[in-house]
Amino acid sequence: MAGHLELLTHSMVSLARGRNLDTIIGSQTINSFLPLKSDLELTSYGLYAIELVDQFTAEHIEDYPLFQLLLEILHCLCRGGDNELTLRYFELHLLNEVGYRPQLQQCVSCHQALEPVTNAFCSAAGGMLCPLCSQSQPLIQPISVNTLKVLRFLQSSDYDTAAKLKMDPELSHQLEIVMRDYLKYLLEREVKSAAWLDSLRGAVLPT
Ligand SMILES: [Zn+2]
């Protein structure tokens, strides 16, 4: 049954309850996500998504919407497209599900609506700070008007709408920095697969 239980495989598994450990008595593959297993970069994207789910959830607590989101993202990665955009969409929607939705509409400190100027994201505060409130905060990321627009759009769109967005590499990089910093803050450590993604990029795409 080992093939049905590989990472990046969606399987239906039958378990016999044991006193300490359960025993797998049957399994059936629903989707083996083959494209993710035949391309190292796609493998790393898939593992990254799975690791985030693993890190943000507790064992034995069912979260069906999050499971559906994970499946959707694995399907999207298989179909191809802008994979970075897919991951940013996934991160923002995962945060919605697990209760860490970042506040992007108003300043988290003074609660004023944000002006169309360069504002800042503060991971410790869980959202955006206006220029005045961000002056007293050392650990912030400046956020351009355009980056904020895209973050809001990804946070509130379904995947098909979000996937129509065209991002240039600079914008894509900005989004990755903001999300990586926030996730790292929340998890209080580097996401292992993200570090792997970086080392893979260094090996495959030297910059
Ligand atoms: Zn403020």
Side-chain angles (χ1 to χ4, degrees):
M1 286 183 285
H4 304 292
L5 304 172
E6 263 181 52
L7 266 174
L8 298 170
T9 304
H10 180 199
S11 297
M12 176 88 81
V13 176
S14 305
L15 298 170
R17 289 268 179 240
R19 186 174 294 179
N20 298 313
L21 290 172
D22 299 338
T23 309
I24 296 164
I25 54 173
S27 62
Q28 188 185 350
T29 298
I30 296 168
N31 193 325
S32 53
F33 295 110
L34 279 179
L36 299 186
K37 291 169 182 157
S38 51
D39 178 298
L40 188 56
E41 197 172 350
L42 282 183
T43 305
S44 67
Y45 288 135
L47 291 179
Y48 172 73
I50 286 173
E51 185 173 326
L52 274 189
V53 170
D54 187 40
Q55 298 278 340
F56 276 101
T57 51
E59 264 189 80
H60 301 300
I61 296 174
E62 185 179 308
D63 190 336
Y64 191 66
L66 186 54
F67 179 66
Q68 287 299 111
L69 175 67
L70 177 62
L71 281 185
E72 180 187 24
I73 264 12
L74 296 179
H75 280 292
C76 295
L77 289 173
C78 285
R79 280 205 301 270
D82 185 342
N83 293 324
E84 292 294 337
L85 180 82
T86 301
L87 289 189
R88 299 299 85 78
Y89 170 89
F90 173 68
E91 290 161 347
L92 281 161
H93 285 255
L94 172 130
L95 292 171
N96 287 351
E97 287 297 334
V98 297
Y100 291 107
R101 180 187 172 95
Q103 170 58 264
L104 302 174
Q105 303 301 323
Q106 60 180 33
C107 172
V108 286
S109 179
C110 69
H111 306 294
Q112 297 294 311
L114 296 164
E115 299 290 332
V117 294
T118 297
N119 291 282
F121 188 85
C122 176
S123 293
M128 297 297 298
L129 289 173
C130 69
L132 201 62
C133 295
S134 61
Q135 281 173 11
S136 55
Q137 281 287 343
L139 297 172
I140 52 162
Q141 302 276 352
I143 301 285
S144 69
V145 174
N146 208 19
T147 304
L148 181 58
K149 262 189 208 164
V150 172
L151 281 169
R152 285 173 172 172
F153 177 71
L154 291 179
Q155 189 182 52
S156 59
S157 302
D158 60 35
Y159 182 78
D160 289 340
T161 310
K164 294 192 179 99
L165 194 71
K166 297 273 177 279
M167 291 200 298
D168 62 47
E170 176 59 27
L171 179 61
S172 182
H173 187 58
Q174 284 304 313
L175 291 180
E176 186 181 4
I177 290 172
V178 176
M179 294 310 298
R180 179 76 59 86
D181 192 70
Y182 185 42
L183 291 164
K184 189 175 154 187
Y185 173 82
L186 292 174
L187 295 170
E188 293 183 313
R189 64 184 186 88
E190 286 282 356
V191 181
K192 275 182 279 176
S193 303
W196 185 39
L197 216 60
D198 283 346
S199 62
L200 184 71
R201 275 203 196 109
V204 179
L205 307 162
T207 50

Coordinates of all heavy atoms in Angstrom, one line a residue, residues 17-74:
R17 N -8.6 1.1 14.5 CA -8.2 1.9 15.7 C -7.4 1.0 16.6 O -7.9 -0.2 16.9 CB -9.5 2.4 16.4 CG -10.1 3.5 15.7 CD -9.6 4.9 16.2 NE -10.2 6.0 15.4 CZ -9.6 6.9 14.7 NH1 -8.3 6.8 14.5 NH2 -10.2 7.9 14.1
G18 N -6.3 1.4 17.0 CA -5.5 0.7 18.0 C -5.5 1.4 19.3 O -6.0 2.5 19.4
R19 N -4.9 0.8 20.3 CA -4.9 1.5 21.6 C -3.9 2.7 21.5 O -4.3 3.8 22.0 CB -4.4 0.5 22.7 CG -4.5 1.1 24.1 CD -4.1 0.1 25.1 NE -5.1 -1.0 25.2 CZ -5.0 -2.0 26.1 NH1 -4.0 -2.1 26.9 NH2 -6.0 -2.9 26.1
N20 N -2.8 2.5 20.9 CA -1.8 3.6 20.8 C -1.7 4.1 19.4 O -1.8 5.2 19.1 CB -0.4 3.2 21.3 CG -0.5 2.8 22.8 OD1 -1.0 3.6 23.6 ND2 0.1 1.7 23.2
L21 N -1.5 3.1 18.5 CA -1.3 3.4 17.1 C -2.5 2.8 16.3 O -2.9 1.7 16.6 CB 0.0 2.9 16.5 CG 1.3 3.6 17.1 CD1 2.5 2.9 16.6 CD2 1.3 5.1 16.6
D22 N -2.9 3.5 15.2 CA -3.9 2.9 14.3 C -3.1 2.1 13.2 O -2.0 2.4 12.9 CB -4.7 4.0 13.6 CG -5.5 4.8 14.6 OD1 -5.7 4.3 15.8 OD2 -5.8 6.0 14.3
T23 N -3.8 1.1 12.7 CA -3.2 0.3 11.6 C -3.9 0.5 10.3 O -5.2 0.6 10.3 CB -3.4 -1.2 12.0 OG1 -2.9 -1.4 13.3 CG2 -2.6 -2.1 11.0
I24 N -3.2 0.7 9.3 CA -3.8 1.0 8.0 C -4.2 -0.4 7.4 O -3.4 -1.3 7.2 CB -2.8 1.7 7.0 CG1 -2.5 3.1 7.6 CG2 -3.3 1.8 5.6 CD1 -1.3 3.7 7.0
I25 N -5.5 -0.6 7.1 CA -6.0 -1.9 6.6 C -6.4 -1.8 5.1 O -6.7 -2.8 4.5 CB -7.1 -2.4 7.5 CG1 -8.2 -1.4 7.6 CG2 -6.6 -2.8 8.8 CD1 -9.4 -1.9 8.3
G26 N -6.4 -0.6 4.6 CA -6.8 -0.4 3.2 C -6.5 1.0 2.7 O -6.6 1.9 3.5
S27 N -6.2 1.1 1.4 CA -6.0 2.5 0.9 C -6.2 2.5 -0.6 O -6.0 1.5 -1.3 CB -4.6 3.0 1.2 OG -3.6 2.2 0.6
Q28 N -6.7 3.6 -1.1 CA -7.0 3.7 -2.5 C -6.6 5.2 -2.9 O -7.0 6.1 -2.3 CB -8.5 3.5 -2.7 CG -9.0 3.5 -4.1 CD -10.5 3.4 -4.2 OE1 -11.2 3.2 -3.2 NE2 -11.0 3.6 -5.4
T29 N -5.9 5.2 -4.0 CA -5.5 6.6 -4.5 C -6.6 7.3 -5.2 O -7.3 6.7 -6.1 CB -4.3 6.4 -5.4 OG1 -3.2 5.8 -4.7 CG2 -3.8 7.8 -6.0
I30 N -6.8 8.5 -4.8 CA -7.9 9.3 -5.5 C -7.2 10.2 -6.6 O -7.7 10.3 -7.7 CB -8.6 10.2 -4.5 CG1 -9.4 9.3 -3.5 CG2 -9.6 11.2 -5.2 CD1 -9.9 10.0 -2.3
N31 N -6.1 10.8 -6.2 CA -5.3 11.6 -7.2 C -3.8 11.5 -6.8 O -3.5 11.8 -5.7 CB -5.7 13.0 -7.2 CG -5.2 13.8 -8.4 OD1 -4.0 13.5 -8.9 ND2 -6.0 14.7 -9.0
S32 N -3.0 11.1 -7.7 CA -1.5 10.9 -7.4 C -0.7 12.2 -7.8 O 0.5 12.2 -7.5 CB -0.9 9.7 -8.0 OG -1.2 9.7 -9.4
F33 N -1.4 13.2 -8.3 CA -0.7 14.5 -8.7 C 0.6 14.2 -9.3 O 1.6 14.8 -8.9 CB -0.6 15.3 -7.4 CG -1.9 15.8 -6.8 CD1 -2.3 15.3 -5.6 CD2 -2.7 16.7 -7.5 CE1 -3.5 15.7 -5.0 CE2 -3.9 17.1 -6.9 CZ -4.3 16.6 -5.7
L34 N 0.6 13.5 -10.4 CA 1.8 13.1 -11.1 C 2.7 14.2 -11.5 O 3.9 14.2 -11.4 CB 1.5 12.1 -12.3 CG 1.3 10.7 -11.9 CD1 1.0 9.8 -13.1 CD2 2.5 10.1 -11.1
P35 N 2.1 15.3 -12.1 CA 3.0 16.4 -12.6 C 3.8 17.0 -11.4 O 4.9 17.4 -11.6 CB 2.0 17.5 -13.1 CG 0.7 16.7 -13.4 CD 0.7 15.6 -12.4
L36 N 3.3 16.9 -10.2 CA 4.0 17.5 -9.0 C 5.2 16.6 -8.7 O 6.2 17.0 -8.1 CB 3.2 17.6 -7.8 CG 2.0 18.5 -7.9 CD1 1.3 18.6 -6.5 CD2 2.3 19.9 -8.4
K37 N 5.2 15.3 -9.1 CA 6.2 14.4 -8.8 C 7.3 14.3 -9.9 O 8.3 13.7 -9.7 CB 5.7 13.0 -8.5 CG 4.8 13.0 -7.2 CD 4.1 11.8 -7.0 CE 3.2 11.9 -5.7 NZ 2.1 11.0 -5.8
S38 N 7.0 14.8 -11.0 CA 7.9 14.7 -12.1 C 8.7 16.0 -12.4 O 9.5 16.0 -13.4 CB 7.2 14.3 -13.4 OG 6.1 15.1 -13.7
D39 N 8.6 17.0 -11.5 CA 9.3 18.2 -11.7 C 9.7 18.7 -10.3 O 8.9 18.9 -9.5 CB 8.3 19.3 -12.4 CG 9.0 20.6 -12.6 OD1 9.4 21.3 -11.6 OD2 9.1 21.0 -13.7
L40 N 11.0 18.8 -10.2 CA 11.5 19.1 -8.8 C 11.0 20.4 -8.3 O 10.7 20.5 -7.1 CB 13.1 19.1 -8.9 CG 13.8 19.2 -7.5 CD1 13.4 18.1 -6.6 CD2 15.3 19.2 -7.8
E41 N 10.9 21.4 -9.1 CA 10.4 22.7 -8.7 C 8.9 22.6 -8.2 O 8.6 23.1 -7.2 CB 10.6 23.8 -9.8 CG 10.5 25.2 -9.2 CD 10.8 26.2 -10.3 OE1 11.3 25.9 -11.4 OE2 10.5 27.4 -10.0
L42 N 8.1 21.9 -9.0 CA 6.7 21.7 -8.6 C 6.6 20.9 -7.4 O 5.7 21.1 -6.5 CB 6.0 21.0 -9.8 CG 5.5 21.9 -10.9 CD1 4.7 21.1 -11.9 CD2 4.7 23.1 -10.5
T43 N 7.5 19.9 -7.2 CA 7.5 19.1 -6.0 C 7.7 20.0 -4.8 O 7.0 19.9 -3.8 CB 8.7 18.1 -6.0 OG1 8.6 17.3 -7.2 CG2 8.6 17.2 -4.8
S44 N 8.7 20.9 -4.9 CA 9.0 21.8 -3.8 C 7.8 22.7 -3.5 O 7.5 23.0 -2.3 CB 10.3 22.6 -4.0 OG 10.1 23.5 -5.1
Y45 N 7.1 23.2 -4.5 CA 5.9 24.0 -4.3 C 4.8 23.2 -3.6 O 4.2 23.7 -2.6 CB 5.3 24.5 -5.6 CG 6.1 25.6 -6.3 CD1 6.4 25.6 -7.7 CD2 6.6 26.7 -5.6 CE1 7.2 26.5 -8.3 CE2 7.4 27.7 -6.2 CZ 7.7 27.6 -7.6 OH 8.4 28.6 -8.2
G46 N 4.6 22.0 -4.0 CA 3.6 21.2 -3.4 C 3.9 20.9 -1.9 O 3.1 20.9 -1.0
L47 N 5.2 20.5 -1.7 CA 5.6 20.2 -0.3 C 5.5 21.4 0.6 O 5.2 21.4 1.8 CB 7.1 19.7 -0.3 CG 7.2 18.3 -0.9 CD1 8.7 17.9 -0.9 CD2 6.4 17.2 -0.2
Y48 N 5.8 22.6 0.0 CA 5.7 23.8 0.8 C 4.3 24.0 1.2 O 4.0 24.3 2.4 CB 6.2 25.0 -0.1 CG 5.9 26.4 0.5 CD1 6.7 26.8 1.6 CD2 4.9 27.2 0.0 CE1 6.4 28.1 2.1 CE2 4.7 28.4 0.6 CZ 5.4 28.9 1.6 OH 5.2 30.1 2.2
A49 N 3.3 23.8 0.3 CA 1.9 24.0 0.7 C 1.5 23.0 1.8 O 0.8 23.4 2.7 CB 1.0 23.8 -0.6
I50 N 1.9 21.8 1.6 CA 1.6 20.8 2.6 C 2.2 21.1 4.0 O 1.6 20.9 5.0 CB 2.0 19.4 2.1 CG1 1.1 18.9 1.0 CG2 2.1 18.3 3.2 CD1 1.5 17.7 0.3
E51 N 3.4 21.6 3.9 CA 4.1 21.9 5.2 C 3.4 23.0 5.9 O 3.2 23.0 7.2 CB 5.6 22.2 5.0 CG 6.2 22.4 6.4 CD 7.7 22.5 6.3 OE1 8.3 21.9 5.4 OE2 8.3 23.3 7.1
L52 N 2.9 24.0 5.2 CA 2.2 25.1 5.8 C 0.9 24.6 6.5 O 0.6 25.0 7.6 CB 1.8 26.2 4.8 CG 2.8 27.3 4.4 CD1 2.2 28.3 3.6 CD2 3.5 27.9 5.7
V53 N 0.2 23.7 5.8 CA -1.0 23.2 6.4 C -0.6 22.4 7.7 O -1.3 22.5 8.7 CB -1.7 22.2 5.4 CG1 -2.8 21.5 6.1 CG2 -2.3 23.1 4.3
D54 N 0.4 21.6 7.6 CA 0.9 20.8 8.7 C 1.2 21.7 9.9 O 0.9 21.5 11.1 CB 2.1 20.0 8.3 CG 2.5 19.0 9.4 OD1 1.6 18.4 10.0 OD2 3.7 18.8 9.6
Q55 N 1.9 22.8 9.6 CA 2.4 23.7 10.7 C 1.2 24.5 11.4 O 1.3 24.8 12.5 CB 3.4 24.8 10.1 CG 4.6 24.2 9.6 CD 5.7 23.9 10.7 OE1 5.6 24.4 11.7 NE2 6.6 23.0 10.4
F56 N 0.2 24.8 10.6 CA -0.9 25.6 11.1 C -2.1 24.9 11.6 O -3.1 25.4 12.0 CB -1.4 26.6 10.0 CG -0.5 27.9 9.9 CD1 0.4 28.0 8.9 CD2 -0.7 28.9 10.9 CE1 1.2 29.2 8.9 CE2 0.1 30.1 10.8 CZ 1.0 30.2 9.8
T57 N -2.0 23.5 11.6 CA -3.1 22.7 12.1 C -2.7 21.8 13.2 O -1.5 21.5 13.3 CB -3.7 21.9 10.9 OG1 -2.7 21.2 10.3 CG2 -4.4 22.8 9.9
A58 N -3.6 21.3 14.0 CA -3.3 20.4 15.0 C -3.8 19.0 14.6 O -4.8 18.9 13.8 CB -4.0 20.8 16.3
E59 N -3.2 18.0 15.1 CA -3.6 16.6 14.8 C -5.0 16.3 15.3 O -5.4 16.8 16.4 CB -2.6 15.6 15.4 CG -1.6 15.2 14.4 CD -0.7 14.0 14.9 OE1 -1.2 12.9 14.9 OE2 0.4 14.3 15.4
H60 N -5.7 15.5 14.6 CA -7.1 15.0 15.0 C -8.1 16.1 15.0 O -9.2 15.9 15.6 CB -7.0 14.3 16.3 CG -6.1 13.1 16.3 ND1 -6.2 12.0 15.5 CD2 -4.9 12.9 17.0 CE1 -5.2 11.2 15.7 NE2 -4.4 11.6 16.6
I61 N -7.8 17.3 14.5 CA -8.9 18.3 14.4 C -9.2 18.5 12.9 O -8.4 19.0 12.2 CB -8.4 19.6 15.1 CG1 -8.2 19.4 16.6 CG2 -9.5 20.7 14.9 CD1 -7.6 20.5 17.4
E62 N -10.4 18.2 12.6 CA -10.8 18.2 11.2 C -11.0 19.7 10.7 O -11.5 20.5 11.5 CB -12.2 17.5 11.0 CG -12.6 17.4 9.6 CD -13.9 16.6 9.5 OE1 -14.0 15.5 10.0 OE2 -14.9 17.2 8.9
D63 N -10.5 20.0 9.5 CA -10.7 21.3 8.9 C -10.9 21.1 7.5 O -10.0 21.1 6.6 CB -9.4 22.2 9.2 CG -9.7 23.7 8.8 OD1 -10.6 23.9 7.9 OD2 -9.0 24.5 9.3
Y64 N -12.2 20.8 7.1 CA -12.5 20.5 5.8 C -12.3 21.6 4.8 O -11.7 21.4 3.7 CB -14.0 20.0 5.7 CG -14.3 19.3 4.4 CD1 -13.7 18.1 4.0 CD2 -15.2 19.9 3.5 CE1 -14.0 17.6 2.8 CE2 -15.5 19.4 2.3 CZ -14.9 18.2 1.9 OH -15.2 17.6 0.7
P65 N -12.7 22.9 5.1 CA -12.4 24.0 4.1 C -10.9 24.1 3.8 O -10.5 24.3 2.7 CB -12.9 25.2 4.9 CG -13.9 24.7 5.8 CD -13.4 23.4 6.3
L66 N -10.0 23.9 4.8 CA -8.6 24.0 4.6 C -8.1 22.8 3.7 O -7.3 23.0 2.8 CB -7.9 24.0 5.9 CG -6.3 24.3 5.8 CD1 -6.0 25.6 5.0 CD2 -5.7 24.4 7.2
F67 N -8.7 21.7 3.9 CA -8.3 20.5 3.1 C -8.7 20.7 1.7 O -7.9 20.5 0.7 CB -9.1 19.3 3.7 CG -8.8 18.0 2.9 CD1 -7.6 17.4 2.9 CD2 -9.9 17.4 2.2 CE1 -7.3 16.2 2.1 CE2 -9.6 16.2 1.5 CZ -8.4 15.7 1.5
Q68 N -9.9 21.3 1.5 CA -10.4 21.6 0.1 C -9.5 22.7 -0.6 O -9.2 22.6 -1.7 CB -11.8 22.2 0.1 CG -12.9 21.1 0.4 CD -12.9 20.0 -0.7 OE1 -12.5 18.9 -0.4 NE2 -13.3 20.4 -1.9
L69 N -9.0 23.6 0.2 CA -8.1 24.7 -0.3 C -6.8 24.0 -0.7 O -6.2 24.3 -1.8 CB -7.8 25.7 0.8 CG -6.8 26.8 0.4 CD1 -7.3 27.7 -0.7 CD2 -6.5 27.7 1.6
L70 N -6.3 23.1 0.1 CA -5.0 22.4 -0.2 C -5.2 21.6 -1.5 O -4.3 21.7 -2.4 CB -4.6 21.5 0.9 CG -3.3 20.7 0.7 CD1 -2.1 21.6 0.4 CD2 -3.1 19.7 1.8
L71 N -6.3 20.9 -1.6 CA -6.5 20.1 -2.9 C -6.6 21.0 -4.1 O -6.0 20.7 -5.1 CB -7.8 19.3 -2.8 CG -7.8 18.0 -2.0 CD1 -9.1 17.4 -2.1 CD2 -6.7 17.1 -2.4
E72 N -7.3 22.2 -3.9 CA -7.4 23.1 -5.0 C -6.0 23.6 -5.5 O -5.8 23.6 -6.7 CB -8.3 24.3 -4.6 CG -8.5 25.3 -5.7 CD -9.2 26.6 -5.2 OE1 -9.1 26.9 -4.0 OE2 -9.8 27.3 -6.0
I73 N -5.2 23.9 -4.5 CA -3.9 24.4 -4.9 C -3.0 23.4 -5.5 O -2.3 23.7 -6.5 CB -3.2 25.0 -3.6 CG1 -3.4 26.5 -3.4 CG2 -1.7 24.8 -3.5 CD1 -4.3 27.2 -4.3
L74 N -3.1 22.1 -5.1 CA -2.3 21.1 -5.7 C -2.8 20.9 -7.1 O -1.9 20.7 -8.0 CB -2.4 19.8 -4.9 CG -1.8 19.8 -3.5 CD1 -2.0 18.5 -2.8 CD2 -0.3 20.2 -3.5

